[in-house]
Amino acid sequence: MRDPLSALSDAFTAFLFGKVETTRLPVRTSTGQAQAVYLPTAAPGLGDSGVIIGREVYSGKGYIYDPFQLYGQQLPAPHWLVLGESGNGKSALEKTYVLRQLRFRDRQVVVLDAQGEDGVGEWNLIAQELGLTPIRLDPTSALNGGIRLNPLDPAITTTGQLALLRTIIEVAMGHGLDERSGFALKVAHAYVNETTTDRQPVLMDIVDQLRHPEPESAEAMNVDIDDVRAWGLDVALVLDRLVDGDLRGMFDGPTSAGIDLDAPLIVFDLSHIDRNSIAMPILMAIVGVWLEHTWIRPDRKKRIFLVEEAWHIINSPFVAQLFQRLLKFGRRLGLSFVAVVHHLSDVVDGAAAREAAAILKMASTRTIYAQKADEARATGLVLGLPRWAVEIIPTLTPGIAVWDVNGNVQVVKHLITEAERPLVFTDRAMTESSTSDLLPEDVRAAELEAEQRAARIENQQRLNESSESTVA
């Protein structure tokens, strides 16, 4: 008990100077025990300029993302990688993102649509809504007025044409061209370009020249004409597939008239091509290089090149090298490349691991939807995700994804407007038609529980990353 003199002294001091706070003894504890003293916090967003994606799960704030607005300050490159298993909302995200980007007048989008049912690609409804007709590459209709893209189109430089021809051949053969085959192709291409002046050169001209090389080709290298013919035989056989094989009609003539490269949205419908065949990477290589030389221009427009089933590109060394150059070149001209892949293991464990790593490095934005635990761990290791993000990826429900924008990691729920809903959720895309507004009550409750669990994991992770401290 306090003595009367101390009590009288404290009372007199309080009367003169006001009440004096009692000094408490310090208590030694840990961040785990003292976590109740921490107020709830949320990481800062990406700003308020750009395209609305949805809302951050933890803070409830709107999440806005635009690579063109963030480039140079928060983003070193405008390219974007989207990962996740089917049925979790990748397709809905891509479509709403494109629709919202097109509200800006200086935006233009090209989509390589490799999926679809009922005879059309899954972007068909969006194209119709905008009054556009997809460019449907279909070998069954190419000979009956279908679309053609000419690899030897004069709009493509001679260097680009030769690089494209080499890529087509290397993809089809599964290995690089040797020096002799490369020489035979080079001289055939040079001769066709020099002598064909009254029309567009076509692939059949190259095939004919490989089968019947000019004597000058042999004399230039002091070799026998029969040797040059033998060197070019395998090359001629591969190109013959585009002229008279299962891909006949799509690339063996002048480029079709009427392709509007100034339209706000250009959709290449590849849904009629077997996505597991060698034809798909060949198609993507041809379309990619053709666009590089005919579409990307220094006109201050911001362009988005979105590729479905992008593992066909990244998993082929030869196609990946072409697109790697396109990404580097396009960055100076306002191009954002969006690659959609189901599993990262499809890429990093493939034949083009080195090229894939280079492309992934250029993608400063990564969006990861739900994956199995082992796949999530592998993805987190390759992409350098924080541990808390890796732990919640298997628990994510449809429409929710982990966003990593150059190290700024957030959990984001994608929101879809009533006007967008019929365009992004179709009967042909049932595996992708999942959103909380369409789910039954029990699944909505599970989604809410997953959000709360993710928040608890993140909060605990932040506390565990702090060292043991003394709290007064």
Side-chain angles (χ1 to χ4, degrees):
M1 183 173 178
R2 302 181 65 189
D3 61 275
L5 183 60
S6 296
L8 181 62
S9 176
D10 289 345
F12 182 75
T13 303
F15 175 77
L16 292 178
F17 304 106
K19 187 176 180 181
V20 178
E21 290 290 337
T22 301
T23 302
R24 298 187 180 186
L25 295 175
V27 177
R28 294 188 64 85
T29 183
S30 67
T31 55
Q33 294 168 325
Q35 60 182 308
V37 303
Y38 287 87
L39 295 175
T41 59
L46 301 175
D48 56 2
S49 179
V51 172
I52 297 175
I53 300 297
R55 63 175 176 84
E56 299 172 17
V57 168
Y58 304 133
S59 68
K61 297 187 302 182
Y63 191 80
I64 298 175
Y65 169 79
D66 192 299
F68 305 111
Q69 295 291 330
L70 299 173
Y71 177 68
Q73 298 179 357
Q74 295 171 269
L75 276 182
H79 308 308
W80 180 16
L81 175 68
V82 182
L83 292 168
E85 296 182 353
S86 296
N88 284 286
K90 296 192 308 298
S91 178
L93 173 66
E94 300 155 25
K95 293 172 182 175
T96 57
Y97 175 73
V98 167
L99 287 170
R100 295 168 190 179
Q101 281 283 2
L102 290 177
R103 296 182 70 86
F104 296 93
R105 293 183 179 180
D106 64 341
R107 305 295 160 88
Q108 195 179 28
V109 182
V110 161
V111 176
L112 298 193
D113 182 5
Q115 303 188 67
E117 296 178 10
D118 299 332
V120 295
E122 64 174 61
W123 285 78
N124 189 64
L125 274 179
I126 291 179
Q128 289 181 346
E129 180 70 15
L130 298 177
L132 304 170
T133 302
I135 300 171
R136 185 163 295 118
L137 294 172
D138 181 1
T140 62
S141 64
L143 297 177
N144 298 315
I147 297 296
R148 282 191 178 92
L149 297 178
N150 185 12
L152 302 179
D153 193 314
I156 304 175
T157 64
T158 55
T159 302
Q161 292 175 11
L162 185 59
L164 180 54
L165 290 173
R166 287 185 66 99
T167 300
I168 294 170
I169 296 163
E170 289 170 338
V171 170
M173 296 176 69
H175 59 78
L177 280 180
D178 58 40
E179 294 298 328
R180 295 181 176 183
S181 297
F183 171 77
L185 176 64
K186 178 183 176 181
V187 296
H189 175 253
Y191 180 82
V192 168
N193 270 348
E194 290 173 3
T195 58
T196 308
T197 57
D198 57 337
R199 57 177 175 82
Q200 284 190 15
V202 294
L203 285 178
M204 194 64 210
D205 298 328
I206 302 290
V207 174
D208 288 341
Q209 188 59 27
L210 287 168
R211 289 171 174 167
H212 309 288
E214 296 297 318
E216 294 82 0
S217 303
E219 294 171 0
M221 294 297 292
N222 195 26
V223 294
D224 190 84
I225 188 68
D226 291 332
D227 290 335
V228 177
R229 183 181 296 106
W231 297 347
L233 181 59
D234 288 343
V235 176
L237 291 174
V238 171
L239 291 180
D240 185 67
R241 180 178 181 181
L242 300 180
V243 173
D244 199 27
D246 53 346
L247 297 179
R248 180 186 181 190
M250 292 188 293
F251 309 107
D252 57 345
T255 299
S256 299
I259 297 178
D260 184 8
L261 293 179
D262 293 320
L265 174 65
I266 306 169
V267 177
F268 286 89
D269 184 350
L270 311 181
S271 61
H272 284 235
I273 309 299
D274 181 1
R275 69 183 65 177
N276 295 314
S277 74
I278 196 65
M280 189 63 79
I282 290 177
L283 278 168
M284 290 190 170
I286 292 175
V287 172
V289 174
W290 188 78
L291 287 173
E292 176 186 351
H293 292 272
T294 59
W295 179 57
I296 301 176
R297 301 187 291 269
D299 55 5
R300 301 297 181 184
K301 277 195 174 184
K302 306 297 188 294
R303 290 181 166 88
I304 300 168
F305 188 11
L306 190 151
V307 182
E308 303 260 16
E309 300 286 339
W311 67 272
H312 289 296
I313 290 174
I314 306 177
N315 206 33
S316 168
F318 314 108
V319 182
Q321 289 170 9
L322 276 178
F323 273 79
Q324 187 178 346
R325 186 188 76 248
L326 175 62
L327 267 60
K328 290 179 179 178
F329 175 74
R331 190 166 57 179
R332 300 195 305 269
L333 295 176
L335 175 68
S336 173
F337 177 69
V338 183
V340 184
V341 182
H342 284 180
H343 303 289
L344 200 57
S345 57
D346 294 338
V347 176
V348 298
D349 297 334
R354 185 178 64 181
E355 292 81 1
I359 291 180
L360 293 177
K361 188 176 180 180
M362 293 182 192
S364 300
T365 301
R366 287 83 67 91
T367 300
I368 304 96
Y369 282 90
Q371 296 179 332
K372 294 181 175 62
D374 55 346
E375 185 75 25
R377 286 192 294 270
T379 298
L381 182 62
V382 173
L383 300 183
L385 297 175
R387 187 174 68 185
W388 68 264
V390 175
E391 290 175 351
I392 69 169
I393 287 175
T395 71
L396 296 174
T397 53
I400 300 179
V402 171
W403 282 67
D404 177 7
V405 182
N406 196 33
N408 186 322
V409 183
Q410 305 276 355
V411 180
V412 179
K413 179 177 177 58
H414 174 220
L415 298 179
I416 303 169
T417 67
E418 291 300 323
E420 293 168 333
R421 195 180 313 280
L423 298 178
V424 302
F425 296 134
T426 65
D427 291 337
R428 297 187 308 275
M430 290 180 64
T431 58
E432 298 280 339
S433 58
S434 297
T435 182
S436 61
D437 293 331
L438 299 180
L439 294 173
E441 291 299 328
D442 55 339
V443 181
R444 291 183 196 166
E447 179 181 297
L448 179 60
E449 181 183 351
E451 292 182 21
Q452 294 171 342
R453 183 168 61 250
R456 290 196 298 269
I457 292 174
E458 184 192 33
N459 189 43
Q460 186 63 48
Q461 178 65 21
R462 289 175 177 172
L463 293 172
N464 291 340
E465 289 175 352
S466 303
S467 60
E468 294 294 321
S469 61
T470 300
V471 180

